[in-house]
């Protein structure tokens, strides 16, 4: 289990190849360093401990995935990053 953050510092939890929000909602599956939402659309790229949305990667699509939601995590928000890319568009 790994702790990740969005570009703006919102905590995320990575369990295996599944990504969850702070409240435990399933956000998507990770392939290499890319996150794809449950519908299979590109949602973000993992850079270090951050997930950022990069429009240059947005044309990629994978098959749909699903997973049960998990218990929430008590992680504090982190500082915003100046890394290249935008805040991912996760639903939470």
């Amino acid at each position: 289990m790994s702790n990740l953050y969005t570009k703006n510092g919102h905590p995320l939890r990575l369990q295996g190849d599944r990504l969850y929000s702070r409240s435990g909602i399933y956000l998507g599956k990770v392939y290499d360093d890319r996150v794809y939402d449950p519908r299979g659309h590109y949602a973000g790229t993992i850079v270090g401990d951050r997930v950022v949305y990069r429009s240059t990667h947005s044309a990629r699509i994978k098959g749909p995935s699903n997973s049960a939601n998990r218990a929430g995590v008590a992680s504090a928000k982190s500082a915003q990053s100046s890394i290249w890319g935008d805040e991912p568009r996760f639903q939470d």
Side-chain angles (χ1 to χ4, degrees):
M1 181 177 359
S2 298
N3 289 325
L4 296 173
Y5 299 91
T6 66
K7 177 178 177 159
N8 290 341
H10 299 284
L12 304 170
R13 176 182 286 175
L14 182 62
Q15 290 184 305
D17 62 355
R18 310 278 182 181
L19 187 66
Y20 298 90
S21 69
R22 172 175 41 189
S23 60
I25 295 172
Y26 175 65
L27 298 175
K29 190 170 182 180
V30 177
Y31 295 91
D32 297 320
D33 62 345
R34 310 283 162 80
V35 179
Y36 294 87
D37 70 15
R39 297 173 303 153
H41 296 115
Y42 170 80
T45 299
I46 299 173
V47 181
D49 68 344
R50 301 291 175 143
V51 178
V52 296
Y53 180 84
R54 293 185 168 165
S55 59
T56 56
H57 298 163
S58 64
R60 298 176 185 191
I61 297 176
K62 293 284 185 185
S65 66
N66 64 28
S67 180
N69 293 336
R70 301 281 184 223
V73 2
S75 294
K77 188 174 176 180
S78 179
Q80 187 173 356
S81 174
S82 62
I83 197 165
W84 172 70
D86 297 319
E87 178 74 359
R89 301 173 191 152
F90 295 128
Q91 301 292 323
D92 186 15

